[in-house]
Amino acid sequence: MGGAALGGAVVSGVRGAAVVLTLAGLGHTLWNGVVEPGTALAFGALIACGELACRDSRDGRETRGPRDPGDTWGTRDAWAPPAAAPDAAEDRRPAPLAFAGALAYALLGPDAAEPTHHGVLQIVTVVAAAALAGLVPHIARGRAPGADHLARRVLTVAFAAVCFQPLYNSGRLEHGIAQGPYLVLFLLLLLGLTALCDAVLAAVQVCARTGWPYGPLLRDELRAQLGIGSAICATGVVMALGVAVAGLWALPVFCVPLLLTQLSFHRISAIRTTYRQTITSLARATEIAGYTRPGHSRRVAALSCAVGRELGLSERELTVLEYAALMHDIGQLSLVDPVRAGATAGLPAAEARRIAALGGDVARQTGVPAEVAVIVERQADPYREQPVAARIVRAVNAYDDLLGGTRHPGGPLVALEQLRLGTGRDYQPEVVECLARVLARDGRDRVVPAPPG
């Protein structure tokens, strides 16, 4: 409860800071009027159009599947989506063009060689107002992004503006580093700091909401900056420099490359979503054939990804883990006599390895990445000989098999104790304790981690 309260306080703090900053900017702008209204209107229209151009603005989350009465981790009926984050980095920013336009306004110096005088508070006001205006159609369709995305954008743009505008308005930028390669180096440094600020805020928000380890989240956010994040930052700087020379007519010209990049990322994201849905459908073949209990593969995938998050796996590793967990029982389709209730955890070691090897062969024929097939075929090996993902799948699969869909209050506790008894050979102790922590934090199974020592 304390962790949840702290996480809620952190999220509320970030949102509150963005709201206070926006209200301060709005009050300042209303009191003093809009400086260079034509420039503010042009950038505001660009930001609003960037929001409108976004196809899906659902807070970067992806719907992994419908609610299924059989999908439970323990004692509650609820479909828990796999904890792996979406593959496409652009899902982290629902409107790349809007973000680039906001960054360009924050870094805007001259306009067609004429000096500008808008300040940080006006920038915040224009960015927030334009973003909200562009979100109206998404709100009407019930597909608006969460408040965290808007708060992060306001704070990140404000950070860039605070670093740039005072130097420009005071003249120190023009008389100091505005000439030659020094300006480029300064802008690169500023972009790096802005990207770091955005990544830190994003990781803090996700960590506060989910309780996942902060280090791996920050690492994944920084890696995402190398994708469309770098394109957004570069486009924002190019827009600002283009307007400085050619005026506001440069804005539509420099929007085109980012729009094409955004379309490409949308297509990649759609392909990956279809691929995941195909694997999920294939994994359900064992349920349809009666080889495994309803929802077993998806429960194992969801809980495996949560454990992987707890262990600090990267997003790519989590995606591979999710695919392997979904397909871990696919080898049972090759059996003449199905395993009772599909529970492979209680089989003799040789038989479990034989079924796992069959599953690896089937997985390879489906065209999944080779590492997914390796995890499937090695899930029954002693844990010291397994890759980390296979250790996770084995422990979580055994937990779900031991739980057996029972609603008895002692079921989860007994299942975890059975796993702890098998940590000498079959299950890695760290994985079992991570599983216990995930279940305890989620509150589903009323379990607690083992006491120290």
Side-chain angles (χ1 to χ4, degrees), residues 267-420:
R267 291 181 179 179
I268 293 173
S269 180
I271 292 171
R272 287 176 173 172
T273 300
T274 303
Y275 187 59
R276 178 180 284 110
Q277 291 171 347
T278 301
I279 291 179
T280 303
S281 299
L282 181 62
R284 295 198 65 175
T286 56
E287 303 172 19
I288 296 172
Y291 282 74
T292 57
R293 291 179 291 113
H296 171 71
S297 63
R298 284 169 289 167
R299 285 193 301 272
V300 173
L303 198 47
S304 292
C305 288
V307 173
R309 279 282 184 190
E310 188 76 15
L311 287 171
L313 299 187
S314 68
E315 286 193 13
R316 184 182 183 281
E317 291 169 331
L318 286 170
T319 300
V320 172
L321 173 61
E322 179 189 353
Y323 292 168
L326 285 170
M327 302 186 70
H328 75 280
D329 272 333
I330 202 72
Q332 295 198 41
L333 294 176
S334 302
L335 300 179
V336 176
D337 297 320
V339 179
R340 183 178 180 181
T344 56
L347 294 177
E351 180 64 10
R353 284 196 293 270
R354 184 179 76 86
I355 296 175
L358 292 172
D361 292 338
V362 174
R364 285 189 178 87
Q365 294 175 20
T366 63
V368 298
E371 49 199 329
V372 174
V374 169
I375 295 170
V376 172
E377 71 180 358
R378 298 188 61 184
Q379 61 179 302
D381 294 347
Y383 80 82
R384 292 181 178 85
E385 303 174 10
Q386 293 175 313
V388 174
R391 298 175 185 179
I392 296 172
V393 172
R394 178 169 189 177
V396 174
N397 175 58
Y399 171 79
D400 194 73
D401 284 346
L402 290 170
L403 201 60
T406 179
R407 305 301 176 88
H408 190 277
L413 291 171
V414 172
L416 276 173
E417 287 306 314
Q418 294 253 355
L419 295 184
R420 285 167 175 153

Side-chain angles (χ1 to χ4, degrees), residues 94-122:
L97 184 59
F99 192 89
L103 185 59
Y105 192 43
L107 301 179
L108 180 63
D111 181 356
E114 294 293 329
T116 59
H117 304 90
H118 61 279
V120 175
L121 292 178
Q122 179 171 308

Side-chain angles (χ1 to χ4, degrees), residues 16 31-32 56 59 70 80 91 94 134 164 180 187 216 235 261 263 269 312 321 349 394 404 411 414 416 420 441:
W31 181 264
N32 297 285
D56 193 353
D59 198 18
D91 285 335
F164 181 85
L187 290 176
T235 303
T261 303
L263 289 174
S269 180
L321 173 61
R394 178 169 189 177
V414 172
L416 276 173
R420 285 167 175 153
R441 183 171 61 240

Side-chain angles (χ1 to χ4, degrees), residues 8-293:
V10 171
V11 172
S12 299
V14 173
R15 293 177 180 176
V19 170
V20 169
L21 188 58
T22 301
L23 292 177
L26 180 61
H28 175 272
T29 303
L30 291 176
W31 181 264
N32 297 285
V34 179
V35 180
E36 287 116 18
T39 302
L41 179 61
F43 278 95
L46 174 63
I47 295 169
C49 290
E51 294 289 352
L52 289 172
C54 180
R55 293 185 180 179
D56 193 353
S57 305
R58 293 170 295 176
D59 198 18
R61 291 188 295 266
E62 179 182 28
T63 303
R64 301 291 184 100
R67 175 179 292 272
D68 189 327
D71 289 326
T72 62
W73 282 5
T75 60
R76 293 185 188 177
D77 285 337
W79 161 233
D87 295 312
E90 54 90 14
D91 285 335
R92 301 172 184 274
R93 299 174 187 82
L97 184 59
F99 192 89
L103 185 59
Y105 192 43
L107 301 179
L108 180 63
D111 181 356
E114 294 293 329
T116 59
H117 304 90
H118 61 279
V120 175
L121 292 178
Q122 179 171 308
I123 291 171
V124 170
T125 303
V126 171
V127 169
L132 289 173
L135 287 175
V136 170
H138 296 298
I139 295 174
R141 294 197 301 267
R143 297 169 58 184
D148 288 346
H149 272 292
L150 188 57
R152 191 172 93 228
R153 181 180 304 172
V154 168
L155 293 177
T156 301
V157 171
F159 173 83
V162 166
C163 292
F164 181 85
Q165 291 298 327
L167 288 175
Y168 171 76
N169 291 325
S170 65
R172 290 195 295 269
L173 182 64
E174 182 178 357
H175 295 93
I177 59 176
Q179 303 298 326
Y182 299 106
L183 177 60
V184 177
L185 294 176
F186 171 74
L187 290 176
L188 289 176
L189 176 61
L190 181 54
L191 285 181
L193 293 175
T194 302
L196 178 61
C197 174
D198 185 59
V200 168
L201 286 174
V204 165
Q205 289 173 334
V206 177
C207 180
R209 288 197 309 267
T210 63
W212 295 339
Y214 178 76
L217 289 173
L218 179 59
R219 177 192 61 199
D220 289 336
E221 292 293 338
L222 291 173
R223 285 179 177 175
Q225 299 295 336
L226 300 177
I228 198 170
S230 60
I232 291 171
C233 291
T235 303
V237 171
V238 170
M239 282 182 181
L241 295 177
V243 171
V245 176
L248 297 176
W249 291 107
L251 289 179
V253 175
F254 292 111
C255 289
V256 175
L258 188 58
L259 280 174
L260 296 177
T261 303
Q262 182 177 346
L263 289 174
S264 298
F265 269 87
H266 275 306
R267 291 181 179 179
I268 293 173
S269 180
I271 292 171
R272 287 176 173 172
T273 300
T274 303
Y275 187 59
R276 178 180 284 110
Q277 291 171 347
T278 301
I279 291 179
T280 303
S281 299
L282 181 62
R284 295 198 65 175
T286 56
E287 303 172 19
I288 296 172
Y291 282 74
T292 57
R293 291 179 291 113

